[in-house]
Amino acid sequence: MTTKLAPLSERPSWKALQAHHDTIQATTLKQLFADDPARGERLTAEAAGIFLDYSKNRVTDETLGLLTKLAEESGLAERINAMFTGEKINITENRAVLHVALRAPKSESIVVDGEDVVPPVHAVLDKMAGFADRVRSGDWKGHTGKRIRNVVNIGIGGSDLGPVMAYEALKHYTQRDLTFRFVSNVDGTDFAEAVQDLNADETLFLVASKTFTTLETMTNAHSARDWSLAGLGGDEKAVAKHFVAISTNAKEVAKFGIDTANMFEFWDWVGGRYSMDSAIGLSTMVAIGSDNFRAMLDGFHEMDVHFRTTPFEKNLPVLMGLLTVWYTDFFDAQTVAILPYEQYLKRFPAYLQQLTMESNGKHITLDGEHVTTQTGPIYWGEPGTNGQHSFYQLIHQGTRLIPCDFIGFYKTLNPLGRHHDILMANVFAQAEALAFGKTAEQVKAEGTADWLVPHRVFEGNRPSNVLLADHLTPKVLGSLIALYEHAVFTQGTIWSIDSFDQWGVELGKVLAQKIIGELEGTDGAASTHDTSTTNLINRYKKNK
Ligand code: F6P
């Protein structure tokens, strides 16, 4: 059990950081670099194939010392240990938080409620591998005896964002004679467009849902069942060959009509947004093969070990988590931009949005009190260089401080003339421009008219991290995701919030259920709402 902590703003290191912030606020990155010729090499760290340059942050050694002190005073070491040993740290749901067990080697043992969870993890991985091999080789046949050509993952939130991100990220490694589609939105267009060019006799649906009760997923799964049976002559037996389930809820899977022999299990100690390396990653495994999937798990695990064993001042997730707390709470930064300079990572910012914001978008502490500081910032981003031609203007010259994470690779998977050098030159140029800017003197020296000078000045002093790795492999992807998972955990620990529940999504779900009845006419005319909602519902009903 973790000991009760002083409220965040009363911790000595927090108070010291407040005083320190006053002194550092006016210090520029330019000055910090001028004062320390070794800064660019010194403020770096490396683990699990990922190099982090955090030198372009508005920190001194004193800042970093105080931030690591804050981590210590916030009980981070104890919390890490509690997570890795299966303590029920998700207190509002009374659950262990063990996504780290999903990538634990066979030799490890992690006991929850008297059961070692590592053997079942590997049993499911083996079952997934057997299934993936059969689909990839053409051995798994559809109802009419044809081999499967199309795999459609149906899921939403963590049961979609991880799979779709990983599919896109690892496309280079996928079996190209298989088509993959991802259906998540309850908007019928999503399903209709996903299957419009597919044949039912060659199409396999993976219904991915931790609970197997999620409205969107169940609605899409039922439509998929209808579509599949319509294309296969209506024989119910076809379901066994064209549907598999990924869930923790065998009862609901059976109720839907999927044989539980075709179910891939995971466990309540895997949060939805932490589940892409569980059976929820089945589409990933079918796409890239089981060896590549296992390599991805190795990458996750390497970062887990680093997080668990490395002193805070050299610990990548801890450093990144603490820097986010620094900007969120002391510089009033409201967002973090995720800027991958790797086209394959185009869905990475969207994936991180759920990971970060569903985890740390909370205002009640573990002790049930209202927080006294800001918590989870807004994460957003687009792959470079596209963003440079749309929103970077605001990062460079807007009024808000936006810490940025640049992600780049030494090598590209698609060497093409000068492309990769040009791409990477932009990473270094953007981080340099944000940090050091361009003074009025420099602008004037270029012969700029006086009135135009202020418009062309770059103040600089805008912080960023640069993350570099060799090239995008399944292993590096695993390490990168684990890096952010643990950075989120570090933030949540400092803020003393439960990063693993998501009660904030419930109210809308309940209200939608009620309104569905009203829209479909089974619940009478809308009347029990506020006048705006009632009016909107009635207007929709009249015009639909
Ligand atoms: O509504 C939020 C949420 O519960 C997410 O946390 C989760 O990833 C998503 O819905 C999907 O849930 P499920 O996998 O149970 O369908």
Side-chain angles (χ1 to χ4, degrees):
M1 240 3 233
T2 32
T3 41
K4 196 166 156 72
L5 296 165
L8 179 51
S9 39
E10 283 166 32
R11 289 173 209 160
S13 52
W14 187 269
K15 291 185 178 165
L17 278 164
Q18 271 171 329
H20 172 68
H21 176 254
D22 293 342
T23 65
I24 204 180
Q25 210 174 5
T27 310
T28 61
L29 283 167
K30 202 179 271 179
Q31 192 58 51
L32 292 174
F33 273 83
D35 291 350
D36 175 7
R39 184 179 170 97
E41 288 116 56
R42 212 164 55 77
L43 298 193
T44 61
E46 195 164 4
I50 297 177
F51 174 82
L52 165 67
D53 174 354
Y54 60 99
S55 63
K56 295 193 190 76
N57 281 288
R58 291 172 66 175
V59 293
T60 60
D61 290 344
E62 189 184 351
T63 326
L64 292 166
L66 288 172
L67 285 169
T68 46
K69 187 104 189 301
L70 176 66
E72 282 157 22
E73 282 175 12
S74 304
L76 181 59
E78 293 86 336
R79 293 280 295 171
I80 293 174
N81 196 45
M83 175 168 74
F84 277 85
T85 54
E87 252 185 60
K88 297 193 173 169
I89 60 168
N90 176 358
I91 58 160
T92 70
E93 296 181 309
N94 191 30
R95 285 177 183 166
V97 173
L98 271 178
H99 41 282
V100 293
L102 298 169
R103 51 265 190 159
K106 268 191 182 141
S107 53
E108 260 182 47
S109 152
I110 303 172
V111 177
V112 182
D113 292 333
E115 195 206 345
D116 182 357
V117 300
V118 178
V121 163
H122 283 274
V124 172
L125 278 172
D126 290 344
K127 183 175 169 184
M128 288 165 64
F131 173 79
D133 286 349
R134 289 187 66 195
V135 176
R136 288 164 63 84
S137 67
D139 181 37
W140 180 286
K141 300 275 190 301
H143 184 61
T144 63
K146 279 198 179 168
R147 66 172 290 182
I148 295 300
R149 294 273 171 210
N150 317 306
V151 177
V152 182
N153 188 80
I154 297 180
I156 198 163
S159 302
D160 167 71
L161 287 161
V164 81
M165 179 277 289
Y167 172 71
E168 292 296 343
L170 301 176
K171 205 171 203 166
H172 182 79
Y173 304 89
T174 59
Q175 185 167 315
R176 300 289 178 138
D177 63 356
L178 290 173
T179 295
F180 289 82
R181 299 273 160 82
F182 298 84
V183 176
S184 52
N185 198 339
V186 75
D187 183 338
T189 299
D190 203 11
F191 180 78
E193 285 293 341
V195 298
Q196 61 85 23
D197 58 345
L198 307 184
N199 291 324
D201 55 357
E202 297 176 332
T203 302
L204 176 70
F205 290 94
L206 312 182
V207 184
S209 174
K210 182 175 170 179
T211 54
F212 231 72
T213 56
T214 303
L215 178 65
E216 293 89 335
T217 301
M218 288 304 107
T219 307
N220 278 319
H222 281 286
S223 297
R225 200 170 185 279
D226 294 346
W227 178 86
S228 188
L229 288 182
L232 290 165
D235 185 351
E236 291 277 335
K237 276 202 230 105
V239 172
K241 297 283 181 204
H242 292 269
F243 282 81
V244 303
I246 302 149
S247 188
T248 58
N249 192 343
K251 212 166 113 213
E252 287 296 327
V253 168
K255 217 159 100 190
F256 179 84
I258 296 178
D259 185 345
T260 45
N262 287 343
M263 171 177 157
F264 296 85
E265 189 195 5
F266 64 116
W267 306 272
D268 72 357
W269 40 262
V270 183
R273 55 195 175 273
Y274 296 88
S275 67
M276 60 156 290
D277 49 341
S278 71
I280 290 290
L282 187 60
S283 59
T284 315
M285 197 192 264
V286 176
I288 65 174
S290 57
D291 287 349
N292 277 323
F293 194 86
R294 286 180 202 274
M296 182 179 81
L297 297 183
D298 290 345
F300 272 101
H301 181 65
E302 224 180 284
M303 188 58 78
D304 294 344
V305 173
H306 167 77
F307 180 54
R308 196 178 182 183
T309 59
T310 310
F312 292 164
E313 44 305 337
K314 279 282 159 205
N315 192 315
L316 267 72
V318 173
L319 286 167
M320 286 183 62
L322 290 173
L323 287 165
T324 304
V325 171
W326 176 233
Y327 294 121
T328 304
D329 289 314
F330 295 92
F331 288 79
D332 203 22
Q334 289 158 359
T335 79
V336 177
I338 303 294
L339 308 167
Y341 280 64
E342 168 54 81
Q343 186 62 19
Y344 285 126
L345 288 179
K346 66 181 179 196
R347 295 289 289 164
F348 194 60
Y351 169 76
L352 281 192
Q353 287 189 318
Q354 187 198 14
L355 180 67
T356 57
M357 295 200 272
E358 201 169 58
S359 295
N360 285 341
K362 317 275 164 73
H363 67 273
I364 298 296
T365 68
L366 294 168
D367 293 326
E369 306 291 334
H370 206 290
V371 293
T372 51
T373 65
Q374 293 291 340
T375 61
I378 297 154
Y379 279 75
W380 60 288
E382 281 288 325
T385 57
N386 297 11
Q388 291 174 208
H389 298 273
S390 65
F391 54 78
Y392 276 42
Q393 165 65 39
L394 185 145
I395 307 179
H396 282 287
Q397 285 190 320
T399 53
R400 295 172 197 283
L401 184 84
I402 300 176
C404 301
D405 288 354
F406 292 97
I407 303 170
F409 294 87
Y410 308 133
K411 301 181 186 95
T412 173
L413 293 165
N414 294 296
L416 184 62
R418 300 168 63 216
H419 284 246
H420 196 62
D421 283 345
I422 295 173
L423 177 74
M424 291 305 293
N426 276 281
V427 174
F428 306 135
Q430 289 298 327
E432 186 178 25
L434 286 168
F436 306 112
K438 191 171 179 185
T439 62
E441 290 67 41
Q442 289 171 307
V443 177
K444 261 186 220 158
E446 289 170 349
T448 308
D450 280 357
W451 68 269
L452 192 54
V453 169
H455 296 277
R456 300 192 59 168
V457 166
F458 288 70
E459 283 174 352
N461 223 15
R462 284 149 162 83
S464 66
N465 290 314
V466 178
L467 292 161
L468 297 174
D470 191 73
H471 64 290
L472 182 55
T473 59
K475 185 160 184 276
V476 165
L477 182 70
S479 302
L480 189 63
I481 298 164
L483 166 58
Y484 279 95
E485 285 178 346
H486 298 319
V488 164
F489 180 72
T490 300
Q491 295 161 20
T493 298
I494 305 295
W495 290 320
S496 298
I497 53 180
D498 187 337
S499 298
F500 303 103
D501 61 13
Q502 56 283 318
W503 297 107
V505 301
E506 292 303 320
L507 178 60
K509 285 188 192 171
V510 173
L511 292 179
Q513 281 296 356
K514 178 173 163 19
I515 295 174
I516 289 167
E518 293 169 357
L519 297 188
E520 289 177 339
T522 52
D523 235 9
S527 60
T528 56
H529 305 276
D530 60 277
T531 54
S532 162
T533 309
T534 301
N535 188 38
L536 291 167
I537 291 171
N538 288 336
R539 194 175 171 82
Y540 171 78
K541 285 178 77 168
K542 207 164 94 204
N543 290 295
K544 73 177 193 162

